[in-house]
Amino acid sequence: MLYAILAYHEEQAVSALSPDEDAALMAGLMRVHDKIDRQNRLGPAARLDGTGTAVTLRGPGEPMVIDGPFAETKEQLLGFYVLECDTLDAAVAAARDLQRVNRSAVYEIRPITLYLPGAAVQDG
């Protein structure tokens, strides 16, 4: 089953990290990525740019493009992982490993239904 692990953070706290603090955080996360990858479970992972660079498409009919993320929240979606796990518990365990390194993060775990061009729908 495929699971998305969505990483939410307080954007100001992340952007306030010094280059050395950010490099140390990323080094710790890469160790967790390597652990997950050794178990043949890590798919795409991405660090998203800041919400100040985002636009949102919204509205019925011909939607408008508006600046910023779609929600006014304290925490913003700043990254995501795609993992292949046999169970939700295994996906939660992987997210726990990520959170041990990235203490400020809040991780949301969701099953994924995969849509590939020209292929049948694949649940997880």
Side-chain angles (χ1 to χ4, degrees), residues 27-99:
L29 287 171
M30 292 306 291
R31 285 190 295 276
V32 176
H33 296 177
D34 290 344
K35 175 184 173 185
I36 294 168
D37 192 47
R38 283 191 300 274
Q39 299 167 354
N40 295 322
R41 295 186 301 158
L42 185 62
R47 187 178 206 184
L48 301 175
D49 206 352
T51 57
T53 64
V55 297
T56 299
L57 192 64
R58 178 177 292 249
E62 185 62 31
M64 280 176 54
V65 176
I66 57 174
D67 290 339
F70 69 91
E72 295 289 330
T73 64
K74 184 176 180 181
E75 295 166 341
Q76 299 293 336
L77 176 63
L78 296 182
F80 66 89
Y81 301 85
V82 176
L83 277 69
E84 174 71 38
C85 297
D86 292 332
T87 65
L88 175 60
D89 288 341
V92 169
R96 284 184 195 279
D97 286 342
L98 292 165
Q99 205 280 329

